[in-house]
Amino acid sequence: MSREKILAAVAANQPASQPLPPDPGMNFPAGDLVEKFAAVVTAIGARVVGIGSVAEIPARIAELFQGGRIVSFIPELAEIAENDISPATDPHTLENVDVTILQPHFAVAENGACWITEDLMGHRVLPFITQHLAMVVTAEQIVPTMHQAYDRIAEGAYGFAAFIAGPSKTADIEQSLVLGAHGPRSMTIFLVGL
Amino acid sequence: MMERTHKDHAQLSDVFNEDEPRVNWHDETLWWVRQKRDRAAHGIPEFELLRETASQIKNNVLSNLSDYLVQFEANALANGIIVHWAANAAEHNRIVHSILEKHDVKRIVKSKSMLTEECHLNEYLGGQGISVVDSDLGELIVQLAKEPPSHIVLPCIHKKKEEIGEIFHRHLGTEKGMSDPQVLTETARQHLRETFLTRRIALTGVNFAIAETGEFVVCTNEGNADMGAHLSDVHIASMGIEKLIPKRKHLGVFLRLLTRSATGQPVTTYSSHFKTPRKGQEMHIILVDNGRSAQLGRKEFRNSLKCIRCGACMNTCPVYRRSGGHSYHNAIAGPIGAILAPNLDMKEYADLPFASTLCGSCSNVCPVKIDIHDQLYKWRQVIVQEGYAATVKSVSMKAMAFTLSSPALYRFAGKSGRLFLKYAPFAVSNQMNPWYKQREMPEPPAESFGEWYKKNRN
């Protein structure tokens, strides 16, 4: 059995146990979190749209996108978006979704990432297969760094979860940045209270 | 000299160096990536603390790896993941093939995995009549060109856009002469969307696996790993046994370092955490040794297993930048490849630890503080002792060791070197000495530091 062989070789060859280091802590210079988050989000190819409340989103969606198939689980968007997508949905039927608007648990100022677990995605493939993705973030939901992020996630249970930072992108051809590799072509952050 | 089955690094570099403008472009492009890394690293004052923390976490991992493997396996099984163990590349490839056979699948889609490059999975599956499509854009380009990747993060960094345009014209039907990255990327997007939607089995790599939770994390900018995995009935994830980290919270440290070191981005677009298969899906993890447990037993070299595959050592390396990834004739090129490869086959890769100036820049940028240039130096000694070095190299190294061991001889050698450079530069700058092929001779100093110090110390 390779399992026993590998484990025996590893156990025989690993050095004497070394302790884990102390956690690096959380007290790093943060600055204004909303300002920082908005600046990073813009730098990574997403756009920030300030809104007073979630109720404004349908009107903004009409301005910013060309319509098509829109998906969201936010109650205020029920008029414009379909919401009957679940883990039981055949993922292949989502190939023609144009715009998806989701609410992550929180966002991270230092890198513009939004943390979203499977239960907020409808189906795992949705945030990736949609042509355009939008996330609704409030100022209180922004944490400074990934350390606070994992502190918040803690023992949280999920089957699948992701940090999503900006639109899908590639620079594989001569380091020229192109947005819209295989996932969403654009990422919009609706920043509530900006 | 020991016979090898292929050209060595110096000979392969000669091929790359035939086109000087391309070498300069390659050099400048990678240095630009290195500068982006610097700006990102300097953007967070705690970067050095993070490097030290990451290094110590990895030391802890390597020194408790057997326990972490058992813990990870137990948690992954509890999460509903099927766990396989592969002692070597051949076993890994057979496991993948057996999963495909079980599901009667002949076509799969794969996202970036340097481990499958190391195992030559595509060639193996090709021989079994299985078609594999690489979905990372850079990997798709080199796959269509029938070449291996030349860089672990930037697989087709050696290719000009005009060449990529020609490849796309031939294989994906773009207009002849079209080389706009925007158009080419859109073409690949359309082509691969069809692939993602029609493949029932997807294979991905693994960036980090968490012993505490049994989950694994895959990082991409393109979203190709997620498109493949979430649309498939079966997800296979291949990982080297050294990819484990103890706790979920340690991802905070590693995700802050990985992309800042790799491309200068604050984080990859997607950091996807896979913990359980989705309902109705089958999820496999293959834990691969392939020489890692042996490397763990080499005290001087085990630190190489701390690598998180960011590629920073390649982008900064003056030799890599000017010789290209293919000159390393190994799945992983550059300084890190040159210290990993001899562990797998000391004879085959005996030339690689010599493909370095030992300037130390690789060690300085490594996010987990691997002593890369020290290991390159140590591998040279092992390779010469074991008799795998080319004759010219072992003779010159013996002469050097002899000279450096005697102060009188050292002074004499220094003086005669300066005289040679001054009065007979042809003696060193000639056809016998390849170092001077593209170089002008420097002005020799009038005296050595030793001589200057003797005169000026008072």
Side-chain angles (χ1 to χ4, degrees), chain A:
Chain A
M1 260 296 270
S2 290
R3 179 186 186 276
E4 277 62 42
K5 218 170 69 187
I6 294 168
L7 283 174
V10 169
N13 287 344
Q14 67 195 14
S17 179
Q18 297 190 44
L20 278 171
D23 289 331
M26 310 267 172
N27 301 318
F28 303 119
D32 182 282
L33 294 184
V34 176
E35 207 175 283
K36 171 85 182 164
F37 176 70
V40 174
V41 162
T42 309
I44 59 176
R47 67 179 157 193
V48 176
V49 176
I51 52 171
S53 78
V54 175
E56 290 173 29
I57 294 178
R60 290 307 188 92
I61 294 285
E63 283 165 34
L64 297 168
F65 300 99
Q66 265 97 53
R69 189 174 173 194
I70 301 175
V71 177
S72 183
F73 311 104
I74 301 168
E76 287 88 338
L77 273 63
E79 291 283 301
I80 61 156
E82 52 182 291
N83 59 10
D84 57 345
I85 286 155
S86 76
T89 305
D90 175 358
H92 299 84
T93 63
L94 300 173
E95 64 162 319
N96 59 353
V97 172
D98 294 292
V99 184
T100 299
I101 308 106
L102 301 173
Q103 271 182 316
H105 294 280
F106 62 86
V108 187
E110 70 162 326
N111 57 24
C114 297
W115 173 252
I116 182 158
T117 48
E118 186 172 23
D119 54 310
L120 300 177
M121 294 177 188
H123 189 285
R124 286 183 189 190
V125 84
L126 186 59
F128 305 95
I129 203 169
T130 183
Q131 295 287 335
H132 301 276
L133 180 62
M135 297 269 199
V136 184
V137 176
T138 60
E140 309 80 68
Q141 284 179 309
I142 302 172
V143 301
T145 74
M146 293 297 268
H147 306 301
Q148 287 88 352
Y150 280 102
D151 198 43
R152 259 187 84 155
I153 295 167
E155 316 289 310
Y158 49 76
F160 172 78
F163 282 105
I164 300 181
S168 142
K169 58 170 87 70
T170 180
D172 275 341
I173 301 175
E174 284 199 11
Q175 285 294 293
S176 304
L177 181 68
V178 180
L179 302 183
H182 301 301
R185 299 171 185 276
S186 77
M187 162 74 120
T188 305
I189 301 282
F190 288 111
L191 199 46
V192 185
L194 188 74

Side-chain angles (χ1 to χ4, degrees), chain B residues 24-247:
Chain B
N24 293 341
W25 165 77
H26 189 261
D27 178 24
E28 284 159 20
T29 306
L30 287 158
W31 186 248
W32 179 68
V33 179
R34 154 77 209 257
Q35 287 173 314
K36 287 200 294 180
R37 173 263 173 210
D38 287 351
R39 280 195 293 277
H42 300 157
I44 49 173
E46 63 273 26
F47 198 76
E48 289 306 311
L49 172 66
L50 293 176
R51 285 180 73 212
E52 182 56 33
T53 307
S55 170
Q56 289 186 30
I57 294 170
K58 284 285 186 177
N59 287 339
N60 170 268
V61 169
L62 294 183
S63 63
N64 295 280
L65 189 57
S66 56
D67 288 345
Y68 286 137
L69 281 166
V70 171
Q71 188 189 5
F72 174 76
E73 179 193 39
N75 286 322
L77 288 171
N79 293 339
I81 303 175
I82 302 161
V83 180
H84 309 261
W85 299 74
N88 50 42
E91 188 173 11
H92 165 265
N93 295 346
R94 279 199 303 273
I95 292 168
V96 173
H97 188 223
S98 71
I99 299 168
L100 305 194
E101 278 192 316
K102 187 181 116 189
H103 292 274
D104 196 22
V105 161
K106 300 270 181 221
R107 305 184 306 170
I108 66 166
V109 65
K110 178 160 84 69
S111 71
K112 187 127 86 215
S113 152
M114 291 317 298
L115 177 63
T116 60
E117 293 289 335
E118 176 186 318
C119 296
H120 301 287
L121 176 70
N122 286 14
E123 292 90 321
Y124 170 82
L125 289 180
Q128 309 290 325
I130 309 282
S131 110
V132 182
V133 174
D134 280 313
S135 59
D136 172 85
L137 177 59
E139 292 221 317
L140 175 71
I141 291 165
V142 290
Q143 186 182 35
L144 292 174
K146 299 196 164 43
E147 291 175 19
S150 70
H151 187 293
I152 58 175
V153 175
L154 319 164
C156 67
I157 191 69
H158 61 292
K159 285 231 177 290
K160 304 284 282 185
K161 62 177 190 245
E162 291 76 17
E163 296 170 287
I164 298 168
E166 184 55 32
I167 293 167
F168 274 43
H169 171 64
R170 266 187 283 131
H171 295 276
L172 303 179
T174 50
E175 199 185 314
K176 187 153 182 70
M178 169 51 70
S179 62
D180 180 352
Q182 191 85 42
V183 174
L184 298 179
T185 304
E186 179 64 27
T187 304
R189 176 185 174 96
Q190 300 299 345
H191 170 72
L192 283 175
R193 208 151 246 259
E194 171 62 25
T195 306
F196 290 128
L197 287 162
T198 52
R199 297 302 185 270
R200 287 163 49 213
I201 296 189
L203 195 146
T204 70
V206 170
N207 290 89
F208 305 99
I210 321 300
E212 169 190 59
T213 61
E215 73 196 295
F216 58 94
V217 174
V218 183
C219 303
T220 72
N221 280 320
E222 299 185 7
N224 55 318
D226 289 283
M227 284 291 280
H230 305 316
L231 286 166
S232 71
D233 299 336
V234 180
H235 175 186
I236 306 170
S238 293
M239 62 175 270
I241 52 173
E242 82 286 15
K243 292 277 167 173
L244 280 176
I245 57 175
K247 294 170 190 297

